[in-house]
Amino acid sequence: MAARRISSFLSRSLSLSPASFGRNYGFGRGMHRFSTAAVLEEPITPPVQINYTKLLINGLFVDSASGKTFPTLDPRTGEVIAHVAEGEAEDINRAVSAARKAFDEGPWPKMSAYERARIMLRFADLVEKHMDEIAALETWDNGKPHEQALKAELPMFVRLFHYYAGWADKIHGLTVPADGPYHVQTLHEPIGVAGQIIPWNFPLLMFAWKVGPALACGNTIVLKTAEQTPLTGLYVAKLFHEAGLPPGVLNVVSGYGPTAGAALASHMDVDKLAFTGSTDTGKIVLELAARSNLKSVTLELGGKSPFIICEDADIDKAVEQAHFALFFNQGQCCCAGSRTYVHERVYDEFLEKAKARAIRRTVGDPFKKGIEQGPQIDSEQFEKVLRYIRSGIESNATLECGGERVGSKGFFIQPTVFSSVEVLHIPLLQADKRC
């Protein structure tokens, strides 16, 4: 049996009005209209203040060596939220030096694993205490729905640090059988200074997934946050020091990839590097690490994930699952299900229901209750998705819904669905006759 393909895109706005967008890209007329009322209202004032915008090095908030700052923007409006210290190579040097001294001379690696766990648990408790402010800051800087940040991501953040804290005193070596009268054992020890570079789509969760394991094992850290979303990383790092983390153990440098990120990846005194981001940038990070001190590197890169609907699927449930797989977090997931393969016998039914669900998706101010989709992160990503939409049109795919800007400012766009997408190759699923 054959399968047919549906593709979905989330795009975001630049300076085009809905009318000019349609004229420029040839699909303004005859489209389903999405409600824009939620976006056209004045944006809700976030219930949080910006207190931390400097670099965190050796336990202190400091200006960048150059004195430069960069703006972090509200994706709802494109307006400046705050100006943040812009770290560069000299700031990475300062942060790595602090982390090295904290590892070689400080108490953290020598501390009992039980005490390290207690500090991580105190930190988790502080995050829970300040959850409202942190969630508001995450939504303001990133654009994700506030309900998602507050009720899903922050509780997961807290739970992750409970989990990693629990590992701190459970890292054991092994005894190994040997030929002869010998004793052989392995001993797991912290590797040293860990450089970490995180992306903008899940700033807090990425912080947890990088920082938590490294600290549980007794390492010290230099973390570079994404330039689009630097605010929550600085906030929670301050809470870590309130929980009793020694100075220099966790250093946070805000800055850009080609400067701060490249300096961290190529630094000779960084022992391990962890990077999450695009595949193209991952290649650069790996090359810089190899050309410097051949440090160990962990990469978590992008993907293009398929979603397969079989003939006997519950179509209503499949539609909802496929919708969530793509549009969750404004589609800004490395594992988003952005291409859907549907069995030909249920294709038409699935398409109509999938299109209707996309049209019903509520787009608007992420601080407003009931909003499913906020703005995309910035204009660069918007332009990238526009190229995909334009490519779909030029490839004669059928634009079923979406494709236009929502509102007159900010990075909002309609959920967009294509059908009749050309398939260059589909692996045969002969093992299951339902597909």
Side-chain angles (χ1 to χ4, degrees):
M1 294 295 182
R4 296 163 68 187
R5 181 176 172 184
I6 297 171
S7 289
S8 307
F9 296 101
L10 271 172
S11 47
R12 56 201 79 171
S13 73
L14 197 54
S15 59
L16 297 173
S17 68
S20 65
F21 187 95
R23 286 195 301 271
N24 288 342
Y25 295 101
F27 47 88
R29 291 175 291 182
M31 295 300 300
H32 296 281
R33 290 291 174 183
F34 291 63
S35 172
T36 62
V39 180
L40 295 177
E41 297 172 357
E42 282 299 310
I44 295 172
T45 301
V48 64
Q49 292 185 337
I50 309 298
N51 295 320
Y52 308 111
T53 58
K54 296 185 178 183
L55 311 179
L56 181 58
I57 299 177
N58 204 28
L60 299 174
F61 282 105
V62 297
D63 292 322
S64 62
S66 67
K68 293 195 295 185
T69 63
F70 66 93
T72 184
L73 304 181
D74 182 345
R76 301 177 302 162
T77 62
E79 297 171 355
V80 176
I81 299 174
H83 290 274
V84 179
E86 182 181 340
E88 296 179 319
E90 178 56 32
D91 304 293
I92 292 295
N93 286 337
R94 290 193 292 164
V96 172
S97 294
R100 174 55 61 192
K101 185 175 181 179
F103 184 79
D104 291 342
E105 304 175 18
W108 186 251
K110 304 175 184 67
M111 188 181 296
S112 72
Y114 172 72
E115 185 58 30
R116 287 202 303 270
R118 290 186 63 192
I119 291 173
M120 295 175 71
L121 291 171
R122 285 199 294 269
F123 165 69
D125 291 342
L126 284 172
V127 170
E128 202 160 25
K129 179 180 177 181
H130 294 277
M131 197 173 286
D132 288 340
E133 304 100 295
I134 299 170
L137 198 60
E138 186 84 330
T139 292
W140 195 4
D141 207 19
N142 174 273
K144 66 179 65 216
H146 184 250
E147 290 179 322
Q148 174 186 322
L150 180 62
K151 297 180 180 179
E153 295 186 15
L154 260 299
M156 184 183 294
F157 182 91
V158 172
R159 183 174 177 178
L160 282 166
F161 272 96
H162 279 111
Y163 174 80
Y164 293 129
W167 268 109
D169 59 358
K170 300 174 184 65
I171 302 171
H172 308 300
L174 299 170
T175 57
V176 183
D179 295 334
Y182 306 107
H183 176 78
V184 181
Q185 69 178 46
T186 62
L187 176 66
H188 294 295
E189 296 179 311
I191 192 170
V193 176
Q196 302 177 341
I197 303 173
I198 60 175
W200 45 261
N201 55 346
F202 293 97
L204 284 171
L205 292 179
M206 290 294 175
F207 180 103
W209 289 325
K210 292 286 189 290
V211 170
L215 290 185
C217 294
N219 297 287
T220 59
I221 297 169
V222 177
L223 174 75
K224 192 201 85 68
T225 53
E227 61 269 25
Q228 297 90 340
T229 53
L231 299 179
T232 50
L234 293 169
Y235 189 110
V236 296
K238 176 63 166 61
L239 294 182
F240 234 134
H241 287 82
E242 288 184 24
L245 193 71
V249 174
L250 173 60
N251 306 274
V252 180
V253 178
S254 308
Y256 293 95
T259 50
L264 186 58
S266 58
H267 203 287
M268 294 295 292
D269 211 18
V270 171
D271 301 300
K272 166 68 191 293
L273 188 68
F275 170 81
T276 298
S278 72
T279 302
D280 287 341
T281 305
K283 294 177 181 179
I284 297 172
V285 166
L286 189 61
E287 181 180 359
L288 292 173
R291 286 186 173 183
S292 52
N293 58 344
L294 205 63
K295 59 180 68 67
S296 299
V297 179
T298 302
L299 300 176
E300 182 189 8
L301 308 178
K304 182 69 174 172
S305 304
F307 199 96
I308 300 172
I309 311 299
C310 296
E311 180 184 9
D312 63 347
D314 180 329
I315 297 302
D316 291 333
K317 184 176 181 180
V319 165
E320 196 60 37
Q321 291 295 316
H323 182 87
F324 179 84
L326 170 71
F327 292 108
F328 174 68
N329 202 53
Q330 292 68 252
Q332 298 171 152
C333 298
C334 58
C335 56
S338 55
R339 53 196 176 120
T340 304
Y341 293 96
V342 185
H343 192 285
E344 61 182 4
R345 290 179 182 171
V346 295
Y347 181 86
D348 292 336
E349 178 187 2
F350 181 91
L351 174 59
E352 288 306 310
K353 290 182 176 181
K355 179 169 64 175
R357 179 63 181 92
I359 293 170
R360 290 197 309 272
R361 186 172 182 83
T362 54
V363 182
D365 189 330
F367 282 102
K368 185 174 181 179
K369 187 176 178 60
I371 290 297
E372 295 177 277
Q373 180 177 313
Q376 308 305 125
I377 188 67
D378 61 12
S379 60
E380 181 180 352
Q381 292 298 313
F382 162 72
E383 292 172 348
K384 182 178 181 179
V385 177
L386 282 187
R387 291 197 297 271
Y388 286 130
I389 291 178
R390 186 162 61 246
S391 175
I393 295 297
E394 293 170 352
S395 299
N396 297 317
T398 301
L399 184 63
E400 296 289 345
C401 64
E404 295 189 22
R405 179 180 186 174
V406 179
S408 58
K409 62 180 178 180
F411 307 130
F412 298 90
I413 202 72
Q414 298 167 348
T416 301
V417 176
F418 282 91
S419 66
S420 302
V421 180
E422 181 181 356
V423 180
L424 298 179
H425 173 68
I426 303 179
L428 295 178
L429 301 177
Q430 295 177 340
D432 189 339
K433 295 182 179 179
R434 296 174 299 174
C435 296

